[in-house]
Every structure is written in structure tokens, then in C-alpha cells.
Amino acid sequence: KQAAHQFEIYHSFDDVDRENGIWRYLSQHKAYGQKKARQGLLKYKKDDREPFPSVYKLFAGKITPEAILKQIADAKISDEAREVRLCYAQLYIGLNYAVEKNPKQAIIHLREATANKWGPRASYGPKYMWHVGRLHYELLLTEQKKKAKN
């Protein structure tokens, strides 16, 4: 609840950073459930860079993970730009599956985000986000192994 509130406050300073809205959605989903999180999606007047607008549409229930990944595969962009988009898309698709309590799908997408070659080479925020994906991936794997033992 506190995290969702903090991301809402930040939105008043930067109403373009879609990634802020993504984290608010994930926080709200965990605290209140999908319905309230969807109702609380922050509004944006300008488009951010892809894949963030598409991921936001995923949270709104207006696009599927498969459609996002197809858009990236079909985009007329450089290999480097595709790798950047895939890193973020796989991360947020995986985290969305995690909050939806679908660990098997979350693991698949977080594994892809972690295997991404751009993420660990990137600097600052992007590298940090790659580590976020890596840690969530490892956490989910550990949880799955514990369940398998019981």
C-alpha cells in the first residue's frame, strides 16, 4: 500500500515515466488485487518508449504477453533496440505473472529477462532493473523447489 502511494506521488512530478505507473500497478495488485489495480492505473498524456506503453496495456487487460513479444519481433528496429525492448518486456510480463500467482509463467519470462545480454551490460537504472528480474527469478525458483520437496 505504501509503495503504491509513493509511486502515485512521484507521478505528480513526472507524468511521462510509464515505468513508475508499472510499479504502482504491481504494488496495487499485490496490496488490493487486479480489479482495484486496473482501476488505479495512472493516466498518461504522452507516450513513453516501447515496450512500456504496451506493458501498460497488458495491465489494463487490452493486450496479451504474446502480442507484446510479437510486436517486438516484428518491429523495424536494430538488434540492440530489440534486445532492450525484450529485456523490459520479459521482466514486466514475468512480474505480472508473479503478482497474478502464476509462478510457472513468471519463471519462463523472468528467465528470458535474466538471459538477456543487454541488461547486465547496461548502466544505471536499466542494469538495476535487470538485477530486479534476476532476484525475482531466483526467488521464484527457490519457492518452486521448496514446493516440489513437500
Side-chain angles (χ1 to χ4, degrees):
K1 292 177 185 178
Q2 291 173 332
H5 180 67
Q6 184 63 38
F7 291 118
E8 184 176 344
I9 291 169
Y10 181 74
H11 184 68
S12 66
F13 296 102
D14 183 349
D15 64 354
V16 177
D17 183 1
R18 192 82 54 138
E19 206 165 2
N20 179 65
I22 288 170
W23 282 101
R24 180 169 186 263
Y25 172 83
L26 293 169
S27 300
Q28 282 193 313
H29 194 298
K30 189 155 179 101
Y32 307 111
Q34 184 185 64
K35 183 178 179 182
K36 186 165 182 168
R38 281 186 174 172
Q39 291 170 346
L41 282 168
L42 297 173
K43 306 295 182 221
Y44 291 91
K45 295 177 184 169
K46 294 181 183 176
D47 272 341
D48 199 355
R49 66 200 185 283
E50 282 294 340
F52 301 113
S54 295
V55 169
Y56 217 63
K57 289 176 189 171
L58 170 70
F59 297 155
K62 296 179 180 177
I63 194 171
T64 65
E66 296 79 18
I68 293 171
L69 297 174
K70 183 171 179 1
Q71 285 176 352
I72 295 170
D74 294 346
K76 306 271 190 263
I77 55 177
S78 69
D79 290 344
E80 175 83 4
R82 189 174 328 282
E83 197 73 9
V84 171
R85 288 185 189 183
L86 282 171
C87 186
Y88 284 114
Q90 294 287 11
L91 169 67
Y92 290 122
I93 290 168
L95 292 175
N96 188 54
Y97 276 124
V99 296
E100 289 182 348
K101 299 189 181 357
N102 187 338
K104 289 181 182 177
Q105 285 297 314
I107 286 170
I108 290 168
H109 292 281
L110 291 172
R111 181 186 317 120
E112 290 296 320
T114 302
N116 184 287
K117 302 288 187 226
W118 173 79
R121 289 190 330 258
S123 58
Y124 305 108
K127 186 172 188 174
Y128 176 84
M129 295 314 301
W130 179 83
H131 281 294
V132 167
R134 180 184 58 79
L135 291 171
H136 278 275
Y137 173 63
E138 291 172 4
L139 178 67
L140 287 169
L141 282 178
T142 300
E143 289 174 1
Q144 291 299 297
K145 287 177 185 176
K146 284 181 183 177
K147 285 182 182 180
K149 284 183 180 180
N150 296 333

